[in-house]
Amino acid sequence: MWVVKAILFASLLLWASISDIRKREIPDVLPACILVIGLIHVSLLPALLGLFVTALPFFAAAILSHGRIGGGDIKLMAACGFVLGVSGGFLQTIIGLSMALIGWLFQSATSCFKNSRNIAMPLAPFLAVGGIIAFWIIHRA
């Protein structure tokens, strides 16, 4: 059953990535669908803890960054935390944000670090890869 859950989860993360790249927006229906997928073979307490704990750093970052991190990223991570739990959500965050940092450094280096503070990058593609890797790791253990 986890294979079906994995395919659905990865498909929705791919959809979120494409939407974030094209429109810089993650439709509200995507986190809602991810939450529904999280109900497949759910342990409710770890899922609810993952929902809140995984989203909290993104919520704090959105406040501190004055909107540079959007509500779509927060909702996406909350839903992923529901599916992955606290440890899987943190693993997704670490992998996704590390990849985003590498992408930002590469993009900044190719522009000789001119205006590197103003480079806006969609987070969903990086968080999606982190989520898929985290899902695979926690279900392989």
Side-chain angles (χ1 to χ4, degrees), residues 20-83:
D20 201 20
I21 290 168
R22 288 184 179 169
K23 300 177 185 175
R24 296 289 201 262
E25 184 177 300
I26 300 169
D28 289 339
V29 69
L30 288 170
C33 289
I34 291 171
L35 275 171
V36 170
I37 288 169
L39 293 172
I40 299 171
H41 200 72
V42 67
S43 296
L44 198 55
L45 183 59
L48 290 173
L49 285 171
L51 182 138
F52 291 109
V53 173
T54 302
L56 191 60
F58 287 86
F59 180 70
I63 292 170
L64 295 173
S65 70
H66 305 289
R68 291 186 66 131
I69 293 178
D73 296 317
I74 299 166
K75 290 181 273 188
L76 179 67
M77 289 307 294
C80 289
F82 187 80
V83 172

Side-chain angles (χ1 to χ4, degrees), residues 21 25 28 82 85 98 101 108 122 127 139:
I21 290 168
E25 184 177 300
D28 289 339
F82 187 80
S98 296
L101 177 61
S108 295
L127 296 174
H139 285 87

